[in-house]
Amino acid sequence: MAAVGSGGSPAAAGPGAVSAGTLEPGTTTAAHRRLKYISLAVLVVQNASLILSIRYARTLPGDRFFATTAVVMAEVLKGLTCLLLLFAQKRGNVKHLVLFLHEAVLVQYVDTLKLAVPSLIYTLQNNLQYVAISNLPAATFQVTYQLKILTTALFSVLMLNRSLSRLQWASLLLLFTGVAIVQAQQAGGGSPRPLDQNPGVGLAAVVASCLSSGFAGVYFEKILKGSSGSVWLRNLQLGLFGTALGLVGLWWAEGTAVAHRGFFFGYTPAVWGVVLNQAFGGLLVAVVVKYADNILKGFATSLSIVLSTVASIRLFGFHVDPLFALGAGLVIGAVYLYSLPRGAAKAIASASASTSGPCTHQQPPGQPPPPQLSSHRGDVSTEPFLPKLLTKVKGS
């Protein structure tokens, strides 16, 4: 969930790591390139594997596990992991850790209570994902779930007063069009589906999940701007609230059935794989995301859509027709265009304008050339807004 560890500033690097602040503009070392490729692979695998694993676990024959218990277990494991990381930061000193947690969680209780809102929304979002993936093909869900980019962008404009470029607004319209085409294909029965699946319920769940993801992500970012807490502390606090709220949701939705059959009813190795992916996948992304720029994250999202589609064909017999291919292609293109930095977006717009007219701007003789756009990406104020991966730890 919390993946903005440095808040836009160069993150502390370990021995042998490459610090962005020490690189000359325009230079890239082999180690830095390798880290970017590793980051790309992690982002692609995380984006695709969680959806595919949930779909696989929910469609296996036999007893079906309770989704609410999986959400609670993921929260417990995530909280324990963050607690261990904080323990390691305190060099194994239990007294220092207890004093730190007492100060951060109890004394500063106002900051702790602020996290109850996003934690509630993230818990709801995780449960909605199970409902959506249980009723939609994995590839269809993966494409439709990109609406979270649209909702996050809109909430960022409304709550953070962010501005979007014309290209970004156009890409959001393209994104909505692509998702609408995919859903039209799904409603038309383009692929055979089991009788126990309801595409209408799946669509409603994924839309609600996208709305909750967008609002919670922007709200959490707004909280973090006025906070000095570490990433792992915030994730621990979110895990505490998430576990409590998840238990309340379990009791309300499936309490009687869980009491009768047991908390771990229907758990298989595949189910444990889903739980571990939810608990640790997003935390892993939080570690590698500092090496990935916006273009790389957009490229990873596009690759994960392709990977989910190919895997769905092999694993679930998913059929790709021209309508789905068109909608998915529009979504992939929209994600890439939205992730472009403002400098590149202006360059594309300028190139389009120059090719559409009969004459282009000529540099007067004897005049120095205009300054080139810098490739340095350290100033977060110049970045286009993308949904930060601080929501991925909770939901993806």
Side-chain angles (χ1 to χ4, degrees):
M1 150 95 70
V4 264
S6 59
S9 60
V18 179
S19 173
T22 62
L23 294 176
E24 293 295 329
T27 64
T28 307
T29 65
H32 192 243
R33 283 198 302 269
R34 187 162 56 249
L35 286 173
K36 291 190 70 172
Y37 291 138
I38 292 173
S39 301
L40 174 63
V42 170
L43 292 173
V44 171
V45 171
Q46 162 64 13
N47 283 338
S49 65
L50 179 61
I51 295 166
L52 292 170
S53 61
I54 292 177
R55 177 68 180 178
Y56 178 74
R58 296 296 280 179
T59 55
L60 282 176
D63 295 327
R64 178 176 287 190
F65 68 99
F66 299 112
T68 52
T69 65
V71 172
V72 172
M73 280 305 304
E75 291 299 322
V76 170
L77 292 176
K78 185 178 68 106
L80 290 175
T81 303
C82 293
L83 185 62
L84 288 175
L85 290 170
L86 289 171
F87 182 65
Q89 285 183 350
K90 300 302 177 182
R91 303 183 183 276
N93 191 311
V94 177
K95 181 179 179 180
H96 287 177
L97 176 64
V98 172
L99 292 175
F100 170 75
L101 293 178
H102 177 267
E103 173 69 23
V105 178
L106 298 179
V107 177
Q108 301 180 21
Y109 66 92
V110 175
D111 286 344
T112 302
L113 290 176
K114 287 180 180 178
L115 294 175
V117 175
S119 183
L120 172 63
I121 298 175
Y122 285 131
T123 304
L124 173 64
Q125 176 190 343
N126 286 339
N127 283 282
L128 287 172
Q129 281 188 346
Y130 279 98
V131 175
I133 298 175
S134 299
N135 288 279
L136 292 174
T140 303
F141 173 85
Q142 181 76 294
V143 172
T144 309
Y145 193 55
Q146 301 314 310
L147 282 176
K148 64 185 178 181
I149 299 177
L150 172 62
T151 59
T152 308
L154 294 177
F155 281 120
S156 71
V157 171
L158 295 174
M159 296 172 60
L160 300 177
N161 295 321
R162 284 226 169 89
S163 61
L164 302 178
S165 67
R166 292 181 180 179
L167 181 62
Q168 287 176 309
W169 283 115
S171 66
L172 292 176
L173 178 61
L174 194 67
L175 174 71
F176 184 82
T177 303
V179 170
I181 291 175
V182 169
Q183 286 301 319
Q185 177 267 351
Q186 179 70 23
S191 299
R193 61 176 180 266
L195 296 177
D196 61 343
Q197 294 182 17
N198 188 329
V201 173
L203 175 60
V206 74
V207 170
S209 181
C210 290
L211 286 170
S212 62
S213 174
F215 174 79
V218 175
Y219 180 85
F220 191 36
E221 182 185 358
K222 193 171 184 179
I223 292 176
L224 287 179
K225 282 187 174 181
S227 171
S228 59
S230 70
V231 175
W232 310 125
L233 172 63
R234 295 309 177 206
N235 275 285
L236 174 61
Q237 291 170 315
L238 286 169
L240 292 174
F241 280 116
T243 300
L245 294 170
L247 288 172
V248 172
L250 183 155
W251 172 79
W252 181 75
E254 299 171 322
T256 304
V258 171
H260 176 67
R261 296 188 173 184
F263 188 91
F264 295 107
F265 174 80
Y267 272 57
T268 64
V271 177
W272 280 111
V274 171
V275 172
L276 293 174
N277 197 336
Q278 276 197 317
F280 302 129
L283 292 176
L284 181 61
V285 170
V287 175
V288 304
V289 72
K290 63 183 178 183
Y291 302 109
D293 56 21
N294 284 333
I295 296 179
L296 196 68
K297 285 184 279 186
F299 190 52
T301 301
S302 301
L303 281 179
S304 67
I305 293 175
V306 176
L307 180 60
S308 296
T309 302
V310 173
S312 295
I313 295 173
R314 298 284 296 178
L315 296 175
F316 311 119
F318 183 72
H319 174 67
V320 178
D321 60 13
L323 203 59
F324 178 87
L326 173 61
L330 290 176
V331 170
I332 290 173
V335 170
Y336 173 76
L337 291 175
Y338 188 82
S339 65
L340 288 175
R342 289 189 183 271
K346 290 179 181 178
I348 292 176
S350 299
S352 302
S354 63
T355 55
S356 62
C359 51
T360 58
H361 177 72
Q362 299 278 337
Q363 180 68 24
Q367 294 291 329
Q372 297 297 316
L373 290 173
S374 171
S375 61
H376 179 62
R377 302 180 60 79
D379 182 9
V380 293
S381 64
T382 62
E383 298 290 339
F385 180 76
L386 274 177
K388 298 193 186 308
L389 289 188
L390 48 86
T391 61
K392 290 292 292 177
V393 175
K394 292 289 291 188
S396 150

